[in-house]
Amino acid sequence: MKNKIILSLLICGLFSSVSFSRDIINSPEKSLMPIGAYYYPEHWPEHQWERDIKRIAELGFEFTHFAEFSWSRLEPEESKFNFEWLDKCVALAEKYGLKVIMCTPSPTPPAWLTAKHPEILVVTEDGFQVKHGMRLNANGSNPVYQQYVKRITEKLADRYGSNPVVCGWQLDNEPHYEGLYDYSPFVRSEFQKWLKNKYTTIENLNRAWGAAFWSYEFNNFEQIDLPNKNERNNNPHAKIDFKRYSADAIAEALRFQADVLRKKVSSKQWVTSNFAYYKFLPSVDLFRSKNDLDFASHTMYLLSTFLDYPEGKLAGRLGSGMELSFSSELARSVKGYTGIMELQPGQIDWGSWNSQPLPGAVRMWIWHSFALGDKFVCTYRFRQPLYGAEQFHKGIMEPDGVTVSPGGSEYVTAIKEISQLEKLPREKTIIPKDVASRTTAFLWKQDNMMSLETVKLTQSWDTWNHYYTYYQKLKTMGSSVTFIQESDAFDVSRYPFMVAPAYEMVDENLISKWKKYVSEGGNLILTTRSGMKDNNSHLWEAPLQHPIQELIGSKIEYFDQLSPQEEANVVFEGKNYTWNVWGDILSPASETEVWASYSDQFYKGKPCVVKNKIGKGSVYYIGVATKNKELEKQLLRKIYTEGGASILDLPDYVFTEYRDGYWVTVNYTSETISAPIPDSSTIVCGKKEVAPGGVAVWK
Ligand code: GAL
């Protein structure tokens, strides 16, 4: 069976490396990973445009990016359009051999528009309308706003939709609402419509929202307000539905623009949007745009200070490679490929503090994106602005416009290094056996996060952290991770392992898909809180986590939590591990294997981690969440080894990936590490010993 699985994986690998034939920027034969830079002509005097655009090309960039915030220049007054400046810049890009990503300017409506239609502006939870001067301040679902968005988008499409210099379109910018959710009167009535559509009758809604509790019942949909924490709405089901509505509405606004464009632009031009780091935008769900975009691109500022950093004295200069990795693999999973639309070019100016990156770090980030399979890397931005909200944000050029910045030099280095690879003979690449054997499906349902974050149950619960624990440890084994959804095929031949951490809301259909996956040979890893609720976020009228009991071969008697100051212990393979976030107390069936048990508390001796064999596969239940993630790491290593995978043993924050025939290791730790390069390999960049911020590439 194992051999069969590996054979199909190899075939899939062959397919996945050739199935995507569309040229994203330039043909893959020409360049493995084109690199580009944003240019804002509207920020610079016209006489500098040619000098700057020529320089972009001379430095080795293959494309640029225009117009995402330039509505006030494209339509300075209502219905008075001016595209001449953009025409000139597109022509200059062509003259110097650059491709252009063209953007719709919807994140920044012009002053005449917001003055005329203040009703399009979003309202914060405190009740303040977000005024002109902030971006993403208009609600993209508002039909009034949509008419203006449609008109400017159509004008752009008519003008550039068949121009071969324009390779594709970016809709909006990092789609979301300023302030995360919109509490405007417009949204109140839209939310009511959405609810009516979902529940049909008010009785259904009252039932789904458990509205009998605290007399929350409604007589009609018109009575329903937006769940606002400042107004003390405390119904979890209403809150979750509001999050669902908002994610649907953001996706619908993107769909609107994509449809407008597609009617007019050449089919050779692709349509994407640049999704910002998801962790901070719970109201955005990339997968809700799956059928509307050619692919999802992503943006990443690794030193923004809001991310998960490794320990070590250089951590704040090397950034969070784990989050770059997660972001890329999540975006890639939407349509099978991605590109990074914004990658930090050096120091930024909007973090809680803004450290200089370690020399070499910018180059490492580019190589890491390469390693993750990104089809292109684009940096925000070519020139450091002299004015405006991001004045101190580094660009590829210093403020003088002619001196290359330190980060800019690292871009130039990476461009040259990657182009060296292009000169090497390229064989048809198939995914190596080892990689195939540890490929993992991460089951992803954003609605679970909406539910878990609404009802955390302990202040120590952090859904992202729980997901990261598993994701991070998968990366230490060199696992390639694809995020799949319930509606996708659970294909054992493609994904010998599936993790579904804290997969709270389940239904019968999912349970039977899981059963089939496992009985066909899959290894399914479930963790705390999985199967606790139905899709309305209600508990089952049954024992705790009833729907997964048969799968995991165990009852879950109850769960426990400790204060952040306390610690308790579990024993796994004779070793002690501490925990304090979450502990499930299990009561397994006799044939279920017990892997770890509690070694203290009044439930001392009770199991918390079990393995249950079903058909050709196994289900693992990890009913404990630790603080330092060490237990989870050791459990995953054992699960993968027993499941027949060949795994690496990388330190946390060291990443090794395979792409297009090359292996790449990048090092975000503060120590020099040794890359897992076999003696038979040829090193094409760097060396086996990889310093902090360093890169090794081998064939
Ligand atoms: C991004 C945003 C860009 C720019 C950048 C600055 O999140 O999409 O427009 O503001 O941050 O680092």
Side-chain angles (χ1 to χ4, degrees):
M1 179 64 186
K2 202 176 129 197
N3 284 344
K4 235 185 179 169
I5 292 180
I6 291 182
L7 180 67
S8 345
L9 281 162
L10 292 175
I11 294 166
C12 289
L14 181 63
F15 260 76
S16 67
S17 62
V18 293
S19 64
F20 175 66
S21 57
R22 160 179 244 155
D23 301 348
I24 306 243
I25 308 285
N26 281 316
S27 95
E29 278 67 48
K30 179 166 181 267
S31 67
L32 271 173
M33 188 184 72
I35 298 185
Y38 279 42
Y39 187 65
Y40 295 90
E42 65 275 25
H43 298 177
W44 309 104
E46 185 171 345
H47 68 88
Q48 292 182 353
W49 294 347
E50 178 149 14
R51 180 199 70 186
D52 289 349
I53 292 172
K54 182 166 176 244
R55 198 72 198 281
I56 296 176
E58 281 169 357
L59 291 176
F61 292 98
E62 290 183 55
F63 66 98
T64 184
H65 176 281
F66 290 152
E68 70 188 339
F69 302 127
S70 63
W71 199 336
S72 66
R73 290 293 171 99
L74 294 169
E75 192 179 0
E77 288 173 52
E78 183 166 0
S79 303
K80 293 211 171 115
F81 297 95
N82 177 5
F83 290 95
E84 273 167 39
W85 63 274
L86 193 51
D87 290 347
K88 283 182 190 164
C89 290
V90 172
L92 283 170
E94 182 172 20
K95 180 171 172 188
Y96 292 104
L98 294 171
K99 288 279 163 53
V100 170
I101 296 178
M102 192 60 82
C103 305
T104 62
S106 50
T108 46
W112 57 259
L113 175 47
T114 51
K116 185 173 172 190
H117 291 293
E119 73 276 19
I120 66 171
L121 294 169
V122 304
V123 173
T124 67
E125 202 160 14
D126 301 315
F128 294 110
Q129 199 176 53
V130 181
K131 293 288 177 355
H132 194 63
M134 180 40 92
R135 58 185 170 175
L136 295 153
N137 54 339
N139 188 312
S141 310
N142 191 311
V144 175
Y145 189 46
Q146 284 187 335
Q147 286 324 301
Y148 289 89
V149 170
K150 178 166 185 271
R151 194 166 60 184
I152 188 75
T153 303
E154 283 176 341
K155 292 273 177 199
L156 281 161
D158 286 340
R159 205 139 185 126
Y160 306 110
S162 53
N163 187 332
V165 174
V166 175
C167 51
W169 295 81
Q170 175 194 302
L171 307 179
D172 210 67
N173 171 66
E174 295 187 333
H176 66 280
Y177 302 118
E178 168 57 31
L180 292 188
Y181 297 98
D182 181 3
Y183 296 84
S184 62
F186 164 73
V187 166
R188 182 177 185 266
S189 81
E190 288 296 293
F191 182 49
Q192 291 169 353
K193 280 189 218 157
W194 184 92
L195 292 170
K196 218 179 268 178
N197 190 37
K198 178 170 179 182
Y199 295 109
T200 333
T201 67
I202 201 69
E203 290 75 24
N204 290 341
L205 175 135
N206 282 331
R207 216 171 302 119
W209 282 13
F213 197 81
W214 288 356
S215 221
Y216 189 52
E217 284 162 316
F218 296 96
N219 306 96
N220 56 58
F221 287 92
E222 289 67 36
Q223 291 168 341
I224 299 172
D225 273 324
L226 298 175
N228 183 325
K229 77 169 181 308
N230 295 342
E231 293 166 2
R232 300 285 194 269
N233 183 317
N234 205 19
N235 180 289
H237 313 288
K239 290 188 207 170
I240 296 166
D241 265 348
F242 183 50
K243 291 177 185 177
R244 285 172 160 147
Y245 154 77
S246 300
D248 281 353
I250 288 171
E252 186 278 324
L254 287 175
R255 186 173 312 131
F256 175 81
Q257 289 198 33
D259 290 348
V260 169
L261 267 182
R262 285 234 171 75
K263 285 198 186 103
K264 298 213 160 231
V265 305
S266 146
S267 59
K268 292 197 178 118
Q269 296 178 341
W270 41 257
V271 179
T272 187
S273 188
N274 60 338
F275 290 93
Y277 199 49
Y278 333 106
K279 186 173 164 180
F280 306 113
L281 302 179
S283 54
V284 184
D285 177 7
L286 288 77
F287 287 96
R288 279 171 158 89
S289 294
K290 188 177 171 121
N291 298 328
D292 306 313
L293 304 176
D294 289 296
F295 63 95
S297 66
H298 64 124
T299 67
M300 179 51 57
Y301 293 83
L302 289 89
L303 293 186
S304 66
T305 63
F306 303 116
L307 305 176
D308 171 279
Y309 291 101
E311 287 177 2
K313 57 186 187 305
L314 297 175
R317 300 199 185 285
L318 291 167
S320 177
M322 207 269 293
E323 304 214 25
L324 171 63
S325 178
F326 189 97
S327 176
S328 174
E329 293 203 294
L330 188 67
R332 184 183 70 211
S333 300
V334 177
K335 294 294 268 216
Y337 59 96
T338 186
I340 183 157
M341 196 62 92
E342 298 176 34
L343 181 66
Q344 186 173 348
Q347 188 182 35
I348 57 167
D349 66 349
W350 50 267
S352 303
W353 57 90
N354 299 293
S355 307
Q356 289 287 344
L358 189 74
V362 172
R363 166 182 170 261
M364 174 178 71
W365 301 335
I366 299 168
W367 270 111
H368 194 188
S369 300
F370 173 89
L372 287 158
D374 280 0
K375 297 286 175 194
F376 63 85
V377 164
C378 189
T379 187
Y380 173 91
R381 49 186 282 156
F382 183 64
R383 288 191 64 180
Q384 175 167 346
L386 305 182
Y387 51 72
E390 288 168 356
Q391 238 176 337
F392 291 96
H393 195 293
K394 282 288 189 184
I396 296 300
M397 309 303 281
E398 296 288 13
D400 65 7
V402 291
T403 309
V404 178
S405 67
S409 304
E410 294 191 25
Y411 266 85
V412 174
T413 304
I415 289 170
K416 285 195 186 132
E417 288 171 338
I418 292 170
S419 71
Q420 287 307 313
L421 298 192
E422 284 148 18
K423 295 187 188 127
L424 299 173
R426 265 193 255 164
E427 304 112 41
K428 227 185 194 117
T429 53
I430 51 169
I431 296 186
K433 267 193 205 165
D434 289 5
V435 177
S437 78
R438 54 185 184 245
T439 297
T440 303
F442 194 120
L443 193 63
W444 184 260
K445 174 158 81 174
Q446 188 122 338
D447 296 40
N448 270 329
M449 198 178 339
M450 295 171 181
S451 173
L452 289 163
E453 285 297 293
T454 302
V455 185
K456 281 170 175 284
L457 272 169
T458 154
Q459 68 171 62
S460 304
W461 182 263
D462 176 339
T463 311
W464 277 100
N465 193 44
H466 191 74
Y467 293 168
Y468 280 172
T469 299
Y470 287 90
Y471 181 78
Q472 187 183 345
K473 300 309 174 191
L474 291 173
K475 299 316 284 183
T476 64
M477 300 192 292
S479 185
S480 165
V481 178
T482 299
F483 293 84
I484 67 165
Q485 296 191 284
E486 272 173 47
S487 53
D488 293 331
F490 290 3
D491 184 353
V492 182
S493 68
R494 231 174 138 182
Y495 308 113
F497 297 89
M498 183 185 298
V499 291
Y503 208 91
E504 191 182 42
M505 297 191 289
V506 300
D507 60 17
E508 268 176 30
N509 188 35
L510 173 62
I511 301 294
S512 48
K513 277 183 91 169
W514 271 340
K515 274 188 194 150
K516 185 163 177 284
Y517 167 78
V518 178
S519 54
E520 287 171 356
N523 295 286
L524 174 66
I525 300 153
L526 299 173
T527 77
T528 51
R529 306 185 78 157
S530 293
M532 193 99 123
K533 292 181 168 183
D534 67 14
N535 280 320
N536 281 329
S537 197
H538 288 203
L539 292 174
W540 303 101
E541 196 170 354
L544 198 58
Q545 290 161 269
H546 173 74
I548 65 163
Q549 286 188 359
E550 195 191 325
L551 268 172
I552 70 170
S554 180
K555 286 192 178 131
I556 298 159
E557 290 183 17
Y558 51 91
F559 59 83
D560 196 16
Q561 301 159 358
L562 302 176
S563 78
Q565 293 75 36
E566 288 170 291
E567 274 182 354
N569 295 284
V570 303
V571 173
F572 167 56
E573 293 191 326
K575 210 177 147 203
N576 225 48
Y577 296 86
T578 59
W579 72 276
N580 70 357
V581 178
W582 192 285
D584 289 324
I585 288 74
L586 307 183
S587 156
S590 54
E591 63 279 15
T592 305
E593 277 178 41
V594 172
W595 276 25
S597 302
Y598 297 99
S599 56
D600 53 26
Q601 311 304 309
F602 65 89
Y603 39 80
K604 183 174 171 182
K606 289 273 189 184
C608 54
V609 180
V610 292
K611 170 181 178 178
N612 187 32
K613 288 194 187 144
I614 301 179
K616 295 176 189 156
S618 300
V619 184
Y620 301 84
Y621 186 77
I622 304 179
V624 61
T626 70
K627 242 191 344 196
N628 70 7
K629 310 178 181 180
E630 193 47 36
L631 174 65
E632 287 89 334
K633 175 177 177 172
Q634 297 311 331
L635 288 167
L636 284 177
R637 295 189 68 77
K638 184 170 155 106
I639 293 169
Y640 274 61
T641 311
E642 287 201 356
S646 156
I647 55 173
L648 299 177
D649 190 8
L650 302 168
D652 283 332
Y653 305 101
V654 171
F655 300 86
T656 295
E657 302 284 350
Y658 172 83
R659 178 220 171 120
D660 286 327
Y662 297 98
W663 291 88
V664 182
T665 288
V666 289
N667 179 12
Y668 287 80
T669 73
S670 300
E671 313 296 331
T672 295
I673 57 99
S674 193
I677 308 179
D679 293 340
S680 53
S681 304
T682 314
I683 299 182
V684 293
C685 185
K687 49 187 177 62
K688 192 171 171 66
E689 298 309 303
V690 186
V695 176
V697 186
W698 69 95
K699 269 170 86 74

